[in-house]
Amino acid sequence: MALFETSHVGTWPDGFDAGTFTVSEDDAARVAQAHADATWGPPAAIGPMLHVSGLDGHPYAYAIPFLIGADVFPSVADLLARIASLHRDLGMEPEAGHWATPAMTMQLDHEFGRFGTVYVSAQRHRGPILMTTNVLPTFFFMADLASVAASRAGDATETVGETRLGRLMFGNPHEEYVECVAPDRTLLLDSDSMALTEATAFDEVLGQLGDVPEEHDEHVEVAWRTALDDWPGDIDRDALTAGDTVVEIPQPRRMPPVNWTYWCAPTAWTMAFAYWDNYTPGSGTHLGRGKVVDYWFDHDPTMNNVPNLIDEIIDKTKTPPSWAGDAFDIVNAQGYNFSKSSITCNKGNHWGWGDITAEIKAGRPVVVGMMSRQTPTHNNHAMVIYGYRITTTGQRFYKLLNTWGTSWAAQSIELATGIWQDLPMIKMSAERLIPGDIGATIDNIVLTRPGGGDTLNRNFAYDIEWHVTGPAITRTSLFESLDGGRSWNTIVADVPTTQGKNAYRWVPQHEAPRSRVRIEGCTSNGSLVAGDGSRENVTIQTHPLNKWGGWLGLGRPGLELSGLSVGRNTDGRLELLATALDGNLWHRYQTAPASQSWVGWGSMGRPPGVWLRLAEVATNGDGRLEVIALGDDDCVWHRWQPQPSMGPWAGWSGLGRPPGVALRRLSVEANADGRLQVFAIGDDHQIWTSHQETAGSASWSNWACLGGPGAGVKLFSLDSAANTDGRIEIVVGGGTPSGTEFGLKNPKVWLFYQPVPNSTGAWPWLDMGHPTGGAALPVPAISRNADGRLEMFVSGLGGELRHRWQPAPGSGPWSGWASRGRPGIGESLLATLDVARGGDGRLEAFGLSARTGPGGRVDLDCRHIWQTKPSNGWSGWGSIGSPPGRSIEFIRAVVRDDGKLELFALSSEDNAVWHNVQG
């Protein structure tokens, strides 16, 4: 069978031959690439060139697809085969009025990336660029449909067997065809009706045109010369639009992109009305009554939607020609004062260019209709013009929303006025939409976030924001839809509301590519005053670093636990150590790397007569784990694995303490030569240290004093990390005595560091200040970025996380303190903090967030924030929550052998250990 087979395509089918084109393929490709780079920004990967004919069969344009943001256009065979499978397997048939359904476009964008098309004129007199769209050309979506339709239309098997696909035919932006050529006739598959039409049926249309002279516009010729002659070598991507005049109505994205429903005219008018209705106080002169866009949704005539004004407009105006008057009557009945007047558009006045551009300059969108055939076979389409562009060479473009698609990107197109010069454009009409005064004082509610088009992360805190005018609205209820408006769930009801800006901290719980938010503003007795909703879909996704397997219990050894530490064996198995209130150290370990199976709790005992208060696990240079613990005798003790990843562990051995000094806090770090070194705060508020005599040795040095940051300073916390050259740096928190919180005044963070690797001499001290300048005690943590720069963190100060970092590995001066904010409204971070670096190199900070729940109960949940790429940029706050029915009071994070982070926590209610795995 000679029909075009999408699953085996290697080249374009017959019929797309160049013929005699005035503009060469090479020239068209150069202009299209330059325009794509200027419009979307490089990279924009060029795809296969389609030859487009007018309805008279003469060469008309090149349709050149691009994959935006990519270097290589995907395989045509893969694209066509995937579109055919979506038609076949998922039933994504073309909707009446448009061949690229939003669902299919979204699916292709998800699988391949975002597409766009540049239509380049095949003849110079129309101007280089005829149209720019944000979707693939018609042929991609209709190729397999045309094959099926042509086969069904055949009167005999031999005729069907010889049918092939021919050209792409273009009538106007609403009228495109794929040619199906059989031996005895030529059929055209209509992109609007999906019907096959005899090509001879267009003789009547072509006869209406008469002779169209080929007018060679001087400006167009200059444009082509600029495009082809004045760009030596590589084309400057800015050259195509540099110096262009671009005028748009103020903040055009306030106009919601309503997807085509029933008829294009009421859809276009709804968007134009809603532009004036979508008011953000303090920005522009929009009316903002909040009535047209109440309870926004994706338009689908099969849905049983929440009743609202848009439903009424579309339902009552879906049968032409009554839509125009009815739409204005319906909207004005809600308290508006809109009027309209017509603009004359014909070839003689350049299709209304002067009047339409005057409306755009005045800040008003224009509803425009185009008719390419007379009744009864008319083909008319309405769109909204929101701006225009004039190139430096004089080519003129209208910027429109075409009514097809649920996003601004999908609907926005540019049309050159020259696009109609040789086409069967019977008439074009345009209508001014003139808003009248509705008074300065109104009771209204406006949703300002999310407006639509946003991408939110599941389990991330997000502020829904709205603005209230007038005294009537005192309560607000918020709702979420996961299916574009088909159904709604309550987020929260009866939130106390005041005039002006209001906000509610929302944590989305579900993934949804078509989520929406709407709000209802009510009086104190529950009477609805006004509502508003998202103008476009909101995508809710689960960020890869915010995907967690869920909390699983590891229990406890029968006694309450006071602390946790986690190490990783050389074979990849994690080892969990916990100090208990009986003074013993207990441990569990994985049965295999990255396993959810753990050996039960086993006791590691305690030194004779000593109760252990806290313990840290470190790794020797040969991979053996070693535990460093602090006892109630104020001394340091340790024990170690005899071989990497193996037991039984050696018995407890003492490292003692400095003479006359009790040790309070400790940290362990490895030197450049592999020797472990312990740092501890003494009750004299000096830093003391001891180190292995040689790497991995059981013999340790005597305690030595590294001093403190100054006379009278009391130290309360410390943490350590090593530079890439092996020099260890320590951060401590403390202050001078007073009667304020913690008995301190002037609390600060100090940093001291080895001057050279492996040094045992004096260490310099640096005053790092207080992150907020406040009186609260900072408890810092320090970690190393993937690029080697050290970074320190402090949480709990004003409920926020703050940090500062080295400008380059191992060097200063350090940056100033920066804030990463709170996890959410009404939430405060506590001082408990852990920082880990995942397998992909990104730092991730974990903290406990306190919020007051019902009955005044304070709940503690885990929140986290991570670098958006290794060593740079930070995400918003994500929620990991807490084990079911429990709060968390202590956390530790470690990277597993497979690169995933694993989080360990102690719960408040049962004092058990819980863990959660990322990914």
Side-chain angles (χ1 to χ4, degrees), residues 228-305:
L228 301 177
D229 300 333
D230 297 342
W231 288 342
D234 293 337
I235 297 176
D236 180 357
R237 75 178 187 88
D238 296 322
L240 195 63
T241 57
D244 287 3
T245 299
V246 178
V247 180
E248 296 180 347
I249 58 176
Q251 297 179 282
R253 287 179 180 263
R254 285 179 175 168
M255 185 159 47
V258 183
N259 191 30
W260 194 99
T261 304
Y262 296 125
W263 295 92
C264 51
T267 305
W269 276 109
T270 297
M271 288 194 284
F273 283 126
Y275 171 74
W276 293 103
D277 190 71
N278 179 12
Y279 171 66
T280 301
S283 301
T285 58
H286 293 67
L287 302 177
R289 201 151 176 88
K291 299 287 187 180
V292 177
V293 289
D294 289 359
Y295 318 145
W296 203 260
F297 59 91
D298 275 353
H299 296 283
D300 183 336
T302 65
M303 285 186 182
N304 180 21
N305 289 294

Side-chain angles (χ1 to χ4, degrees), residues 28-43:
R30 292 176 62 196
V31 172
Q33 184 71 67
H35 185 78
D37 288 344
T39 301
W40 298 303

Side-chain angles (χ1 to χ4, degrees), residues 9 62 110 113 119 136 218 220 245 249 298 341 364 493 528 538 565 619 759 767 859 898 914 916:
V9 65
Y62 299 95
H110 174 73
Y119 287 75
L136 284 167
E218 177 183 354
V220 173
T245 299
I249 58 176
D298 275 353
S341 64
R364 297 190 290 262
L528 178 64
V538 175
S565 185
T619 303
S759 170
D767 183 344
D859 294 321
D898 59 3
W914 295 78
N916 205 338

